[in-house]
Amino acid sequence: MDVRKCLSAFFGLFLLSSCGKKTTANVFSDSGNIAASACSGQAIENKFIVQWEDGRFTVESARTAAEFKENFIQPNLEKIKTVEYDRVMQFNQPAKILSSGAADDWGQKMSHADSAWNQGFFGQGIKVAIVDSFVDINHPQIAPRIAINQGEIPGNGIDDDGNGYIDDYYGASFVSSPSASVNPSAHGTHVAGIIAADSSKGPVFGMAPQAEIIPAQFISNDGGGSLGDAIMALQYAAVRGAKIINASWGGAPCVSSLKNQFEELEKKGILVIVAAGNDGQDIDYTPEYPAAFNLSNQITVAASSVSDFMTSWSNSGFKLVQVAAPGESILSTTPNNGTAYMDGTSMAAPFVSGAAALLWSAKPKATATQIRQAILHSVDIFPGHEFKVSTHGRINVQKALIYLQQIVP
Ligand SMILES: [Ca+2]
Ligand SMILES: [Ca+2]
């Protein structure tokens, strides 16, 4: 037995299963665990999220919890860390789609992305995973930016590169619902364009127009998804070598699996950018997940307006939200060679993901902590209308780049 684990079980709250004898009951408690409540989505009673002792996750199926305990958990007990029911995720208010907008690239200008471009930093060599709905990989401004998995041969039903995923040439889908539509969606495609749209191929200016996108979709076109699908998509992003993961979604159930996965990403040094949500609430008091996880590899983002104020609908929080970024009347790519203006913290988060890619391409040896530190220490703050976020400000790539160049030799 590992003594440190055992001590932490006595003095901490979890790791209990590593101290003393493991039983199916202490890795998976299914009593009183099924019902939906304000923050715990309806359990999917025949699907189970398993976290293994090595940190990996899998989603397993069985007819009943009793059968799963007997036929799966018991024989694998020593290798299993925790088990939870998979749960339905309800996505909070989606971003609004607007028919017209105020300006084309006000957000990129206000973020001072051009200061990085002028120094030759475009996000080159940096992989950004878009864990979202389906990205239109054929959009002319997106297609050149997809991180092709060169070791994979598409469409042959074989995992050619042996990374555990069959035919993941462009990316991979983790939408497990058999009835879900797999057509490209406006949300994921819009997010992708804000991060990395190739500005030489159309009207949208991606923040980091040479970053490489890894589409990892788990949200179906009707806005549904499951907790297990989200966890598997995040795990895939890490396997593909993403430095940054954009998570423009919320509404996760109050269960530990997702936070455990975010902690695995933290251990791997991956920066995760999360939308604060569009409920106009203070998440310090009304927490929403993953926005409120408050991890050292996470930046949670509120939405600023064209006039550089907090939007009325953006979530906020002096503790749990770190920065504001443009999130109103944002022009970006949509399926079928389209463009549209959208509002939402879903649009603000990818501005920060793009900013992080720009910074990382300037200093490829920087750690996720240093990139986060550079972004958080360089915001623009306006006396009289500070943003209700921990830094009080809106991102500024120009200042962040100077800061990063000082802290990373
Ligand atoms: Ca593969
Ligand atoms: Ca293949």
Side-chain angles (χ1 to χ4, degrees), residues 155-375:
N156 66 356
I158 296 167
D159 176 17
D160 300 284
D161 67 337
N163 68 352
Y165 302 90
I166 294 165
D167 291 342
D168 63 321
Y169 182 70
Y170 295 107
S173 167
F174 299 89
V175 176
S176 60
S177 166
S179 60
S181 160
V182 296
N183 293 322
S185 122
H187 192 272
T189 306
H190 203 269
V191 166
I194 295 167
I195 295 171
D198 184 338
S199 48
S200 70
K201 303 275 195 308
V204 176
F205 287 85
M207 283 288 285
Q210 291 179 14
E212 295 177 54
I213 293 166
I214 302 166
Q217 24 249 340
F218 79 99
I219 303 171
S220 68
N221 276 351
D222 57 11
S226 90
L227 183 64
D229 295 351
I231 287 169
M232 298 312 285
L234 292 164
Q235 184 159 273
Y236 175 71
V239 167
R240 284 292 310 280
K243 301 283 270 184
I244 302 158
I245 296 176
N246 190 88
S248 283
W249 41 272
C254 310
V255 289
S256 56
S257 298
L258 186 65
K259 186 164 192 195
N260 291 350
Q261 176 63 287
F262 269 63
E263 286 168 351
E264 292 298 319
L265 300 171
E266 186 179 36
K267 286 179 205 162
K268 294 184 173 92
I270 297 170
L271 187 64
V272 186
I273 313 296
V274 182
N278 306 332
D279 313 302
Q281 289 180 337
D282 183 333
I283 66 166
D284 291 356
Y285 300 95
T286 314
E288 174 170 320
Y289 302 100
F293 279 156
N294 200 26
L295 296 171
S296 70
N297 63 325
Q298 176 178 353
I299 302 176
T300 296
V301 186
S304 63
S305 71
V306 181
S307 51
D308 216 10
F309 281 78
M310 189 79 113
T311 59
S312 61
W313 40 261
S314 178
N315 284 353
S316 59
F318 281 128
K319 263 173 58 188
L320 298 176
V321 182
Q322 281 75 47
V323 293
E328 178 190 65
S329 300
I330 303 300
L331 179 75
S332 186
T333 45
T334 52
N336 304 315
N337 197 11
T339 58
Y341 291 88
M342 287 183 153
D343 285 2
T345 54
S346 286
M347 283 62 249
F351 272 92
V352 179
S353 293
L358 288 175
L359 295 172
W360 234 322
S361 66
K363 287 287 179 188
K365 287 184 178 154
T367 64
T369 310
Q370 288 169 325
I371 298 292
R372 182 180 187 271
Q373 195 183 345
I375 291 170

Side-chain angles (χ1 to χ4, degrees), residues 95-120:
K96 286 171 272 182
I97 300 182
L98 307 175
S99 54
S100 64
D104 288 349
D105 59 349
W106 73 267
Q108 291 79 355
K109 288 198 173 104
M110 199 176 275
S111 307
H112 299 278
D114 58 346
S115 64
W117 305 339
N118 292 340
Q119 293 178 56

Side-chain angles (χ1 to χ4, degrees), residues 134-140 142-146 170-171 184 189 213 215 217:
F134 285 83
V135 173
D136 184 357
I137 58 171
N138 296 313
H139 192 291
I142 301 291
R145 305 298 353 125
I146 301 293
Y170 295 107
T189 306
I213 293 166
Q217 24 249 340

